[in-house]
Amino acid sequence: MTGMSPDTPATGAKPVRPRPQVMRLTEAAASRVRELASRADSEIIGLRVGIKNGGCAGMEYTVEYAHDVRPTDEVVEDKGVKILVDPKAVLFLLGTEMDFKVDKMAAQFVFNNPNQTGACGCGESVQLTPAKADG
């Protein structure tokens, strides 16, 4: 097997596709994660992002401090920060951009999600459909 790299498939095997990155962050979101990590009461490695049932549209995003990496977490490293995605949320968040917005009334993480099909009037909850598996 000379000349084969570890990524070269064996004869007859399907080529291995690289896994898509579940989420990406804007510079504003990455900066806010760094700021939160520096101000946290205990050491954190990043933020854990997920979704839960709730709100009038059906689902809500969750964001909390991550103190460790769970075996089932999807680890996203972008712009020098770490985001851990709950495995139940991966298909709902695939392709999402996490941003941080500040305006007169609020400062919050905002999710620009291609899987979002609707939202409630107050913006607290969303309707999501899982991403389609291609190929």
Side-chain angles (χ1 to χ4, degrees):
M1 292 206 343
T2 59
M4 290 185 74
S5 72
D7 294 330
T8 305
T11 305
K14 289 178 86 176
V16 178
R17 267 193 318 192
R19 290 179 64 184
Q21 183 167 315
V22 175
M23 294 177 60
R24 66 185 188 284
L25 284 78
T26 64
E27 191 53 51
S31 178
R32 181 62 176 166
V33 172
R34 284 190 286 274
E35 181 184 338
L36 289 170
S38 71
R39 293 185 357 198
D41 292 339
S42 59
E43 187 173 336
I44 65 168
I45 60 169
L47 295 182
R48 180 166 281 109
V49 175
I51 56 170
K52 68 177 183 176
N53 292 334
C56 48
M59 300 179 118
E60 297 174 334
Y61 294 106
T62 62
V63 179
E64 61 187 22
Y65 289 147
H67 299 282
D68 59 351
V69 177
R70 298 174 184 157
T72 56
D73 283 338
E74 182 76 27
V75 179
V76 174
E77 294 188 60
D78 191 15
K79 296 179 178 57
V81 299
K82 195 175 286 188
I83 301 295
L84 307 173
V85 180
D86 183 303
K88 293 177 286 208
V90 168
L91 283 178
F92 292 102
L93 296 175
L94 197 61
T96 297
E97 177 188 68
M98 184 175 168
D99 195 5
F100 185 73
K101 300 271 186 185
V102 178
D103 62 30
K104 290 181 182 181
M105 300 298 286
Q108 61 188 348
F109 286 107
V110 176
F111 296 88
N112 300 312
N113 188 340
N115 307 304
Q116 183 174 318
T117 58
C120 67
C122 65
E124 291 296 316
S125 64
V126 294
Q127 292 173 330
L128 300 172
T129 57
K132 303 260 188 284
D134 57 324

